[in-house]
Each structure stands twice: as C-alpha cells, then as structure tokens.
Amino acid sequence: EAQVTQNPRYLITVTGKKLTVTCSQNMNHEYMSWYRQDPGLGLRQIYYSMNVEVTDKGDVPEGYKVSRKEKRNFPLILESPSPNQTSLYFCASSLLAVDALRNEQYFGPGTRLTVT
Amino acid sequence: RKEVEQDPGPFNVPEGATVAFNCTYSNSASQSFFWYRQDCRKEPKLLMSVYSSGNEDGRFTAQLNRASQYISLLIRDSKLSDSATYLCVVRLNTGFQKLVFGTGTRLLVSP
C-alpha cells in the first residue's frame, strides 16, 4: 500500500530536549516536505527536499533541521524544542516537485507535538 | 492581510441542506486553486481543483472569480459524512512557485 508514515504520532516533551520526527514514504517519490499546522494560521511549509541530499527552507524553518540521506526518509529534527513549536506536523511527498504544486501529493497522518 | 482568507465557521447545517463557502486571495500571481478536506486532526486530502469555467464533482461545485479574487465551494444535499474542515489552497507564482493554505472553514452537518 502506497503511504507516508510518521513517527511518533504523539509526543509530549520538555523545552530543550532534542527530538526527531521520522517520515518515510514507499512510493519512490523525489519530493518531500514538512508542514506545521496551527490554529488560525493554516499549514505552513517548514522545509522541503527536491531529492536526496537536496533540501531547502520553506516559510518557517527557524528552529528546525532536516536531512535527506535516502530517498524514502525525510526526518525533521528539533535540536532545542521550545513551546512555540507545539503544533501538528505533517510530512508530504510527491513524485516530483511539480506534482506537489498540482496538489498530487500524499500527506502523512500527522504528528502532534507538545513542548512544555 | 493574509494571502488566503476563509470564514472559519462553523457552519451548522441539517442533512440535505445546500451550503456554500467562500475563500478570498490577495495575490494576483495566484495561478491555481484547490479545495482540500480535512477531518478532525487528520491529514488534508485533495477534494477538487477549481477551474476558471467552474467545475462539478457529484454534489460539489467549485467556482473561481478572478476579477474579484475569490473561489467558492458549494455542497448540495449535505450528508453527515461531509462534516469536516474545508481548506482553500492557492498556488502562487512569484518567481518561485509555492502553495498557500487557508485556515479552513468548519462544516457540521446534523441529522
């Protein structure tokens, strides 16, 4: 089954404790991205990756890192989480970047992160 | 001003009702338009694209008014299963193409 998986689905952590949210897709997609969703603000792109070893900042990259060492995985790293990073996070993938812009992208189920 | 604005709702309607949502966008570089559906705390899913001439998919009709910079979604014969949040999404071309998501309009359909 074609899918995007994220782990963990729920996480409560404390300020400053490094964490990683994993994202994996089994569709051999080149383009992957991370979004956060906050009440009243909609989905905002954090980082995206056009292919292996190619990543770039989205609209709200501050406080986040990503890596793309393999095509299937695109982890989101919070080196020192802060309460303002409490949010619902979605990973998404598409075959190519142009497909994402045509909205032919697959979203993961989301990760609800709370930083206290 | 937000690039994409939606009435957050909620819109409370009885089963069988017709309901319409509007979405306005501020950037004239907006190229393409879409409606997504998002169930509570789940991932967004593409509902339909919006074409200049308007388009229909079953009970759902989408319209685009470029002159007034708004798009609309009409749902006829509402079902309980239509209860969700509907996101308006705009594709911008400002030298670099990007998607801008609205904050969503919540719909509650009651028996």
Side-chain angles (χ1 to χ4, degrees):
Chain A
E1 180 191 354
Q3 60 181 353
V4 178
T5 57
Q6 294 179 227
N7 280 292
R9 296 290 313 281
Y10 304 92
L11 179 61
I12 300 174
T13 189
V14 296
T15 298
K17 185 177 180 183
K18 180 179 178 179
L19 66 93
T20 299
V21 184
T22 64
C23 172
S24 183
Q25 48 89 8
N26 62 359
M27 297 168 279
N28 202 37
H29 284 172
E30 290 189 356
Y31 184 84
M32 297 183 75
S33 61
W34 275 103
Y35 293 89
R36 61 177 289 175
Q37 186 175 31
D38 303 288
L41 292 175
L43 270 83
R44 294 177 293 166
Q45 193 177 50
I46 302 170
Y47 268 95
Y48 63 92
S49 170
M50 304 283 274
N51 212 327
V52 175
E53 302 291 4
V54 181
T55 63
D56 210 344
K57 297 177 181 179
D59 295 319
V60 287
E62 294 78 20
Y64 305 94
K65 286 174 59 176
V66 292
S67 69
R68 187 92 182 273
K69 293 183 169 54
E70 308 165 275
K71 188 179 266 193
R72 65 183 292 126
N73 296 322
F74 190 43
L76 180 70
I77 304 155
L78 285 73
E79 295 270 4
S80 183
S82 62
N84 65 12
Q85 292 178 297
T86 293
S87 188
L88 178 58
Y89 291 87
F90 290 103
C91 179
S93 78
S94 60
L95 186 60
L96 299 170
V98 64
D99 298 308
L101 293 168
R102 288 199 292 254
N103 280 268
E104 293 162 5
Q105 61 181 330
Y106 294 76
F107 280 89
T111 295
R112 186 165 290 278
L113 172 66
T114 301
V115 183
T116 61
Chain B
R1 183 182 173 188
K2 289 181 182 176
E3 289 183 293
V4 177
E5 294 207 57
Q6 297 183 249
D7 181 341
F11 283 56
N12 290 285
V13 302
E15 263 187 299
T18 295
V19 62
F21 312 132
N22 285 335
C23 165
T24 59
Y25 59 95
S26 59
N27 196 323
S28 58
S30 302
Q31 287 189 322
S32 307
F33 310 89
F34 311 88
W35 284 101
Y36 269 70
R37 172 196 168 120
Q38 185 175 24
D39 293 300
C40 188
R41 298 181 182 179
K42 294 197 171 179
E43 70 272 26
K45 293 182 179 177
L46 179 65
L47 179 66
M48 61 196 299
S49 301
V50 186
Y51 302 121
S52 297
S53 55
N55 50 298
E56 194 173 297
D57 183 1
R59 297 181 293 108
F60 298 83
T61 301
Q63 297 275 359
L64 167 64
N65 185 320
R66 283 193 184 271
S68 302
Q69 296 189 186
Y70 79 83
I71 68 174
S72 64
L73 177 67
L74 181 78
I75 305 175
R76 290 182 300 278
D77 189 23
S78 299
K79 312 290 185 193
L80 295 176
S81 58
D82 293 334
S83 296
T85 296
Y86 292 84
L87 309 178
C88 172
V89 181
V90 172
R91 172 181 158 193
L92 295 181
N93 185 0
T94 54
F96 178 77
Q97 300 204 28
K98 61 179 279 188
L99 297 175
V100 180
F101 288 78
T103 54
T105 296
R106 191 164 170 221
L107 172 65
L108 298 172
V109 181
S110 53

